[in-house]
Every structure is written in C-alpha cells, then in structure tokens.
Amino acid sequence: ELIDVLKLYCDRQIGRVLVVDDDPATAALYARGIIQIGYEVETVSNGKEAIAAITKSNFDFIVTDLKMPGGDGFQLVDEIGLLDLKRKPHIFVVTGMPLESSDKARLDGKVFKLIPKNGLSPRKLALDLNSAARHFAAASVVFAGEAAFYSYLFNTHLGNA
C-alpha cells in the first residue's frame, strides 16, 4: 500500500479540476486530496455556480455531487452536454444516494465514472483522477498516431493522384 501511495504522489498531474458539492467540508476534503497530486482546484457549491465557472475557465475534470440545492448534479451534467466548449471536461459523479436504473440511464454516456460517496477518501478520488488522466493521455496518443498515419498515407499515396 505504501508503494501505491508513493506512486500516486510522485506521479504529479497538470490540469484543472472543478469540485461541486454543497457541503463545504466535503468539497475542501476532496480539493485537498486533488491538490496533493498536482491539480489546480476550484470549488463551488451548486450546479449554477459550476456552469458559471465552466464558461469562464477550462477544466479537465469535474467532480460533482448529485443532490444539491441551487442546481443539482443531474442538471449540471445535462447543461455541460449543451455547452459549446472546445473541450468538454470529464465528469466524475460522487453520490451518497442510491441510484435508480432511470437515474443511471440519465447519466449514461455523459459521465466518466460514478463513485459511491460511502467510504470515498481523498486518496481514492486522487487515484481515480490519475487513472482517468492516464486513460485520456493514452487515447490522445493513439489518436495522434492514427492522424499522423492517415496524413502520411494521403501525402505519399493519394496526394500524388
């Protein structure tokens, strides 16, 4: 376990994370864990504040609760999907409420991961963010490699036609 902890904190990340939770203590706890692995963190207390923050600044990830006054997580996820952003943030939903199948269907394809709040530690959240960062970095390398390959094909074979 010590090796996992050392890897987590040695594998520094660069980027921005928005934490959305109506409980200031929970938001601060999550933020502290995320900051320790290198991310810049902004916290807001509801979906309306989150949309305002997202339209002003770019975020790589959003960690949001579902049940909040002043714009819940479901509304936030839906509104992010409608925003005209060059790069949409990846969304982690942290919830303590049991989700019905209709709730899960509403989030399906819109969020990167659903995380139960029960037993969630800042370290576990940081591990999830690191894992996602590696996943998306690998995907962009594959995409860049494919783009270079097709560009090469076009320029060497089809461009001469």
Side-chain angles (χ1 to χ4, degrees):
E1 189 175 325
L2 178 61
I3 292 173
D4 290 338
V5 172
L6 291 173
K7 282 182 186 177
L8 175 65
Y9 295 110
C10 289
D11 186 17
R12 304 290 291 170
Q13 298 296 323
I14 298 171
R16 293 179 41 84
V17 178
L18 179 64
V19 175
V20 187
D21 200 302
D22 60 319
D23 177 27
T26 300
L29 184 68
Y30 294 165
R32 189 169 47 248
I34 296 167
I35 288 168
Q36 287 177 345
I37 62 170
Y39 286 107
E40 289 181 40
V41 177
E42 185 174 333
T43 62
V44 296
S45 62
N46 62 51
K48 288 180 186 176
E49 292 175 4
I51 291 297
I54 293 165
T55 57
K56 291 179 189 170
S57 185
N58 292 324
F59 292 94
D60 300 289
F61 297 103
I62 296 175
V63 176
T64 184
D65 192 9
L66 279 181
K67 193 172 182 182
M68 299 175 287
D72 71 16
F74 287 108
Q75 293 168 328
L76 174 60
V77 169
D78 290 340
E79 288 185 40
I80 290 170
L82 298 174
L83 290 175
D84 185 25
L85 300 173
K86 289 182 181 177
R87 189 174 57 106
K88 293 198 191 245
H90 305 289
I91 303 170
F92 286 74
V93 170
V94 179
T95 184
M97 61 187 244
L99 295 180
E100 302 289 329
S101 59
S102 61
D103 294 332
K104 290 179 182 177
R106 186 172 172 191
L107 297 171
D108 190 39
K110 298 177 184 176
V111 302
F112 180 73
K113 188 168 187 175
L114 285 169
I115 304 171
K117 192 177 271 190
N118 186 20
L120 180 64
S121 69
R123 187 175 81 201
K124 169 72 171 103
L125 182 57
L127 283 168
D128 285 341
L129 285 170
N130 266 357
S131 176
R134 282 192 303 275
H135 169 81
F136 291 116
S140 65
V141 168
V142 168
F143 177 76
E146 288 176 351
F149 173 73
Y150 288 120
S151 175
Y152 167 79
L153 276 180
F154 179 79
N155 290 329
T156 57
H157 298 288
L158 301 175
N160 297 329

